[in-house]
Amino acid sequence: VAAGRGIPWLEKQSGIIEDTFAASFREDARGGSSISNQVMEMLYTKYITAIAEKPSFPERQIEQKKYELPASATVDWFWTRNDILEAYVNEVYGGHLYSDIRGFRSQAEMYFMKGLHDLNLREQVMLVAAIKKPSRIKEYAAFLKAEELRDLLESKRPSREAVEKWTDENGPYRVDRKNYREILESKLRAKLWIEGRMRSILRLLRGDGVITAEEERDAWSRQKVRFRFAPGSYSIDNRLVNNIKREIDRELGADRSD
């Protein structure tokens, strides 16, 4: 499907993404909606005004299902599993950074400034692990940056200039010499939650034969999640401007959009 539609990044990564995604949903209990239901909610029912007009949440849920269930049945009939998965990974909510992020590809660009196919296995699994609570991605990033600053301060006795340079370079994470200890405390829960899910997903992937035991050990013991948040462009429509900026930079070279 990906090859036929000219989507090389999805073609290259489709196997690992599909199996990682499936493993995430087996790893713990989910809600009652199928993937098809969620795709229809993202692509169709959220735009139906009659749903929002209902006064109570239960009434809105009932009204939503009136549209969502037949639409999902139609999708299941006409779309392949890969079609449904492709729609999901392109539209799934991935947290907020300057504006809402939709889809794994945008997450890779906004959180890592890389293409999805350039992420290592640990980073890919992290994105999938955070599907249930994508807000924890930024918390996890802050924790890792606080660890990085702690190690810098404790192991090298850096100069004031070196610490100030690190702080400037890592401004989007809002971690500095004054608050890094508090962040290590307050964000520990998010770190343990994400890494616990990552560990389980990797274990399931190995159990299903998708990755080898060596690949699992490499992802867990040697690979790192290296966040590099994309710089924000502020405007009336941040998401549109960020998307345009990234496309211009990709075509003309870094920072040419400025």
Side-chain angles (χ1 to χ4, degrees):
V1 173
R5 297 188 180 185
I7 310 175
W9 68 267
L10 185 61
E11 177 187 1
K12 185 174 180 180
Q13 298 298 111
S14 59
I16 191 72
I17 291 172
E18 180 175 342
D19 291 305
T20 304
F21 177 74
S24 169
F25 274 75
R26 293 201 305 275
E27 188 265 332
D28 67 350
R30 302 292 300 182
S33 296
S34 68
I35 298 178
S36 300
N37 295 154
Q38 294 176 61
V39 167
M40 285 299 96
E41 182 180 353
M42 291 185 287
L43 298 179
Y44 173 48
T45 59
K46 73 176 182 180
Y47 298 106
I48 298 175
T49 56
I51 297 173
E53 291 168 356
K54 295 297 179 180
S56 68
F57 179 74
E59 287 177 297
R60 289 194 293 274
Q61 287 290 88
I62 292 170
E63 188 71 13
Q64 176 179 315
K65 294 302 178 185
K66 284 168 54 178
Y67 294 94
E68 183 182 294
L69 293 177
S72 300
T74 303
V75 162
D76 285 333
W77 182 263
F78 288 102
W79 286 13
T80 67
R81 183 186 179 204
N82 283 346
D83 289 333
I84 295 170
L85 181 63
E86 181 181 328
Y88 189 97
V89 302
N90 284 334
E91 288 295 328
V92 64
Y93 179 64
H96 185 93
L97 186 66
Y98 317 121
S99 59
D100 287 349
I101 302 172
R102 296 282 175 182
F104 286 172
R105 188 176 185 179
S106 292
Q107 284 180 274
E109 292 174 348
M110 293 303 293
Y111 291 130
F112 299 99
M113 292 186 67
K114 296 180 182 178
L116 183 60
H117 61 278
D118 293 322
L119 301 184
N120 63 39
L121 177 58
R122 187 183 180 96
E123 291 166 339
Q124 290 178 2
V125 169
M126 189 282 297
L127 292 180
V128 176
I131 282 175
K132 191 174 181 181
K133 295 182 180 178
S135 61
R136 288 194 164 169
I137 293 175
K138 286 199 295 185
E139 295 183 72
Y140 186 46
F143 183 93
L144 294 182
K145 289 297 178 179
E147 277 191 326
E148 188 178 311
L149 180 56
R150 179 200 63 196
D151 293 344
L152 174 66
L153 293 171
E154 294 180 358
S155 65
K156 296 182 179 179
R157 294 191 178 182
S159 65
R160 179 179 177 180
E161 290 75 17
V163 175
E164 288 178 351
K165 180 182 178 183
W166 185 96
T167 304
D168 290 342
E169 290 175 348
N170 292 279
Y173 311 99
R174 299 181 181 179
V175 176
D176 57 39
R177 196 167 195 163
K178 295 179 180 178
N179 66 12
Y180 78 92
R181 288 190 179 90
E182 186 274 330
I183 288 173
L184 288 172
E185 250 183 66
S186 63
K187 308 303 183 187
L188 177 60
R189 184 176 180 182
K191 182 252 190 188
L192 294 175
W193 182 85
I194 284 187
E195 290 191 352
R197 287 174 59 82
M198 290 165 60
R199 192 72 182 260
S200 297
I201 292 169
L202 285 167
R203 192 179 301 119
L204 285 167
L205 290 172
R206 178 178 56 81
D208 287 349
V210 179
I211 60 175
T212 66
E214 177 59 29
E215 288 173 322
E216 180 190 13
R217 285 192 296 271
D218 184 63
W220 189 252
S221 302
R222 291 185 285 275
Q223 293 179 3
K224 303 292 183 184
V225 176
R226 301 188 186 280
F227 287 103
R228 187 185 173 201
F229 286 0
S233 298
Y234 297 94
S235 74
I236 294 174
D237 189 342
N238 288 335
R239 185 181 180 188
L240 175 60
V241 171
N242 276 318
N243 287 341
I244 293 172
K245 183 179 187 301
R246 289 199 305 276
E247 290 301 322
I248 293 174
D249 286 344
R250 184 181 293 117
E251 291 296 325
L252 302 181
D255 300 323
R256 292 295 297 276
S257 57
D258 293 340

